[in-house]
């Protein structure tokens, strides 16, 4: 697994609701960062230090107080592109189809555009995942900027994620919004032959708690 994939996987873990066992996973998360590039590893390591300094109740309260739509800090990618419109439903269906076309079947309790799910997909299917994250780059950067403006430690996590994508991050909201006008880099649906299926029993070569993400797709029966 590449360094960028490790960054995405660790980021996906910490962007989930922390729950009661988050602190138990900190040693594994820190160990995984040893294989990541120095810059994003430092960003994620700093966040893990912050999270470790908080008690479980305080950390969970910080998470729920950070991520909401009122402050434009939403973890659902299609919210940034479609808002709460009927068009968003079509975007969610398309995301499920993308996961399936690359050998993964979304089986989480969350919506398929939940950022931790997209990050795990981007770790397991790096080329396709990079294209998917780049398609939603404007939302990712706007979320990063909103977190930074609010002084949230989670801004470092989004900054680490954005370092895995091509090109520099925009410095302002106006620059981030301009990214949306360029459109997606290419259509991902139907490109599943580019990668092998993520078969049953195969796990990434890193001992990490898994974010909520697509599960292995069942094999199709042939006539």
């Amino acid at each position: 697994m590449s360094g960028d994939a490790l960054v995405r996987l660790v980021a996906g873990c910490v962007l989930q609701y922390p729950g009661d066992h988050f602190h138990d996973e900190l040693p594994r998360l820190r160990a995984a960062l040893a294989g990541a590039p120095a810059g994003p590893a430092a960003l994620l390591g700093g966040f893990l230090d912050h999270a470790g300094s908080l008690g479980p109740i305080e950390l969970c309260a910080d998470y729920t107080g950070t991520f909401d739509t009122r402050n434009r800090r939403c973890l659902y990618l299609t919210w940034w592109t479609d808002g709460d419109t009927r068009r968003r439903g079509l975007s969610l269906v398309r995301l499920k189809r993308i996961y399936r076309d690359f050998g993964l079947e979304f089986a989480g309790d969350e919506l398929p555009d939940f950022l931790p799910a997209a990050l795990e997909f981007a770790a397991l299917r790096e080329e396709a995942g990079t294209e998917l994250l780049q398609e939603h780059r404007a939302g990712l950067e706007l979320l990063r900027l909103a977190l930074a403006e609010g002084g949230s430690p989670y801004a470092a996590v989004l900054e680490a994620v954005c370092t895995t994508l091509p090109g520099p991050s925009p410095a302002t909201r106006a620059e981030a919004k301009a990214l949306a006008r360029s459109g997606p880099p290419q259509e991902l649906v139907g490109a599943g032959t580019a990668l092998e299926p993520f078969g049953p029993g195969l796990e990434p070569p890193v001992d990490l708690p898994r974010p909520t993400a697509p599960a292995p797709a069942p094999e199709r029966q042939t006539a």
Side-chain angles (χ1 to χ4, degrees):
M1 181 172 285
S2 75
D4 283 348
L6 287 172
V7 169
R8 292 168 178 176
L9 202 58
V10 172
C13 290
V14 302
L15 287 173
Q16 293 186 99
Y17 182 74
D20 296 331
H21 302 291
F22 178 84
H23 289 77
D24 297 334
E25 305 295 351
L26 285 174
R28 287 198 289 169
L29 292 170
R30 289 193 176 102
L33 291 177
L43 291 167
L44 290 171
F47 175 83
L48 293 179
D49 290 342
H50 163 76
S53 71
L54 302 179
I57 294 176
E58 189 178 4
L59 182 60
C60 290
D62 182 54
Y63 181 92
T64 55
T66 297
F67 296 109
D68 59 56
T69 56
R70 291 172 300 172
N71 295 322
R72 301 192 68 79
R73 300 173 190 164
C74 183
L75 286 171
Y76 296 90
L77 294 176
T78 63
W79 180 86
W80 293 95
T81 54
D82 301 325
D84 292 322
T85 65
R86 293 176 62 184
R87 186 175 68 245
R88 187 180 177 198
L90 296 175
S91 296
L92 294 173
V93 170
R94 175 177 174 265
L95 267 176
K96 284 188 175 182
R97 191 162 70 246
I98 289 172
Y99 295 152
R100 186 177 300 120
D101 283 350
F102 284 91
L104 302 170
E105 190 71 33
F106 185 79
D109 294 330
E110 284 285 358
L111 295 172
D113 65 337
F114 187 44
L115 181 53
L119 287 173
E120 186 173 357
F121 172 72
L124 301 178
R125 301 287 186 265
E126 288 192 58
E127 183 177 353
T130 296
E131 291 174 5
L132 179 62
L133 293 178
Q134 189 72 356
E135 180 178 333
H136 291 277
R137 181 76 177 266
L140 289 172
E141 298 287 6
L142 286 168
L143 175 58
R144 176 185 61 80
L145 290 167
L147 292 169
E149 289 168 4
S152 172
Y154 281 99
V157 181
L158 267 294
E159 185 177 349
V161 168
C162 291
T163 65
T164 70
L165 299 175
S169 286
T172 66
R173 286 179 176 270
E175 291 177 7
K177 289 178 180 179
L179 289 174
R181 293 194 289 270
S182 64
Q186 70 177 58
E187 177 61 65
L188 293 171
V189 175
T193 55
L195 292 169
E196 292 297 321
F198 182 65
L202 181 63
E203 292 290 336
V206 57
D207 184 23
L208 281 180
R210 301 298 297 280
T212 301
E219 295 185 4
R220 297 174 180 172
Q221 297 297 323
T222 57

